[in-house]
Each structure stands twice: as C-alpha cells, then as structure tokens.
Amino acid sequence: AQSVTQPDIHITVSEGASLELRCNYSYGATPYLFWYVQSPGQGLQLLLKYFSGDTLVQGIKGFEAEFKRSQSSFNLRKPSVHWSDAAEYFCAVGEEGNKLVFGAGTILRVKS
Amino acid sequence: EAQVTQNPRYLITVTGKKLTVTCSQNMNHEYMSWYRQDPGLGLRQIYYSMNVEVTDKGDVPEGYKVSRKEKRNFPLILESPSPNQTSLYFCASSAFAASGNTIYFGEGSWLTVV
C-alpha cells in the first residue's frame, strides 16, 4: 500500500523567511502527488498537484513543489512566508480509483 | 457553483444514538467518498462509491455505513456512535474514479461523541 510521510509535525518560521515542507512517498509507479492546505476551522484547499512533465510545479498563493523521483520526495516551498500562511499542510498521493492517501500533516506557525 | 455540501457542520451526540451525516454534490459526479481526519493521522478514507448502488470499504470502515441511492447524495451513517468516532469528517467527489480527476471536498463536519 502507498504511504506518505511528512517528517515535521510542527514548523515555525518568521514572517518573510523562506519555507520548505517535506514530503516523502512510497509508490511503485509514477505517482499523482498533491499538496493541500487547511486553515484553522476550514476545509481543504488544493495548493498544487503533480501528474507528469515538469518536475517543478507552481501552485496558488505563491507556493511551488518539486518532484524528485530519486528521493521519492515532493517538497513544498515558498520563498517568503506571510502570516496568513499559518495553517496545516497535507501532502497526498493519488491511488488507483482516485483515492487519496494523506500524510499526517505539518502545522506551520508564522512568527512576526 | 460547484459544491460538495455536508450537514451538519457541527454535532455533539451521545454514545449509541444513531446519526447520519449527509453529503450532496451538484456536479453530477460518479465518484464520492468519505474521509475522517484525526490529529497526527491525516485523513483516512472510510468508504467510497463508484456510482449509484456501488459502494466499497476504504481503510477505516468499522462502525460506519453508507448508501448511494442517488447520484448526488452519499450519506454517512453511524448506527451506534462511540467516542472513538469523534473526528472531523470530509465528504469528497470527483467526476470519475480515476487517478488524477480533480477531487472536490466538502467543508467538513465536526462530530463529537460523548
């Protein structure tokens, strides 16, 4: 079965600093990969997705992610974090039948 | 507007009292599913449905039932809720049951069982 690991439960960054959230997956074939964000008390919003092609994917809100097959990673990055980015971030891999397997999530705190 | 609508959004109930969380989508999607979200575990799939009258278990189906009598609706039924079913529940839908189809999530239903 597929699995997704987000090694960092919590991350704190200063406003304006760069951000990288880590995600590792296990999957036999080329995976469908996703990053979702959940603001406090809110539902899930899709930030970006990777299916094939260019390994650097641009998303909404200034986020990007890079697919590295050799490292089985799909890390999320943002060059300059804003206070409104404080949320929980989930990495997910798409399985057969359009099921998503999620990581445990990383809670991002932004300090001013 | 494309929507997945869940009700209720918030519910506190007592152990053993049957409850239903409704889910409706307005996009004529074939595929619908339910997830639960728990701290430190992310989201896990409870049940899914490929189409009307076609449902199957996900990863954590124990204690839940579903039905799919109409294409737009996919209710989640807790026949005898227990405290370990306290969680945040999400309904999701996509046009087809094929990897890569855009998945739309509802806003979530917070359920507390006391």
Side-chain angles (χ1 to χ4, degrees), chain B residues 34-36 44-47 57-61 64 76 89:
Chain B
W34 278 102
Y35 291 82
R36 61 176 289 174
R44 295 173 294 166
Q45 191 182 59
I46 304 171
Y47 268 95
K57 297 177 180 178
D59 296 322
V60 287
Y64 304 95
L76 180 69
Y89 292 86

Side-chain angles (χ1 to χ4, degrees), chain A residues 27 32 34 36 38 41-44 46 49 51 88 90 94-105, chain B residues 9-10 31 35 37 40-43 45 50 59 88 90 94 96-103 105-107:
Chain A
Y27 194 76
Y32 294 100
F34 306 82
Y36 285 85
Q38 184 179 34
Q42 302 296 311
L44 293 166
L46 179 65
K49 59 187 178 185
F51 290 170
E88 188 163 18
F90 293 96
E95 276 198 345
E96 186 177 324
N98 219 19
K99 169 187 172 183
L100 290 177
V101 176
F102 286 84
Chain B
R9 294 286 316 281
Y10 304 91
Y31 183 82
Y35 291 82
Q37 180 184 350
L41 297 176
L43 284 81
Q45 191 182 59
M50 300 279 207
D59 296 322
L88 173 59
F90 286 101
S94 63
F96 304 104
S99 296
N101 266 245
T102 299
I103 298 175
F105 284 90
E107 292 190 329

Side-chain angles (χ1 to χ4, degrees), chain B residues 4-22:
Chain B
V4 178
T5 304
Q6 301 177 220
N7 280 294
R9 294 286 316 281
Y10 304 91
L11 179 64
I12 300 174
T13 190
V14 296
T15 299
K17 184 177 181 181
K18 180 180 178 180
L19 70 92
T20 299
V21 186
T22 64

Side-chain angles (χ1 to χ4, degrees), chain A residues 16-97:
Chain A
S18 63
L19 170 70
E20 181 168 33
L21 301 182
R22 296 183 291 164
C23 172
N24 294 96
Y25 65 90
S26 70
Y27 194 76
T30 300
Y32 294 100
L33 294 162
F34 306 82
W35 274 100
Y36 285 85
V37 61
Q38 184 179 34
S39 298
Q42 302 296 311
L44 293 166
Q45 182 178 24
L46 179 65
L47 284 175
L48 47 79
K49 59 187 178 185
Y50 171 79
F51 290 170
S52 65
D54 193 346
T55 57
L56 185 62
V57 180
Q58 301 298 320
I60 62 171
K61 304 186 177 188
F63 286 92
E64 66 178 26
E66 185 171 13
F67 170 61
K68 293 186 177 180
R69 184 189 301 278
S70 62
Q71 298 177 20
S72 297
S73 69
F74 188 56
N75 294 348
L76 182 71
R77 301 195 294 247
K78 187 170 184 178
S80 178
V81 168
H82 188 262
W83 64 266
S84 60
D85 292 325
E88 188 163 18
Y89 292 79
F90 293 96
C91 181
V93 62
E95 276 198 345
E96 186 177 324

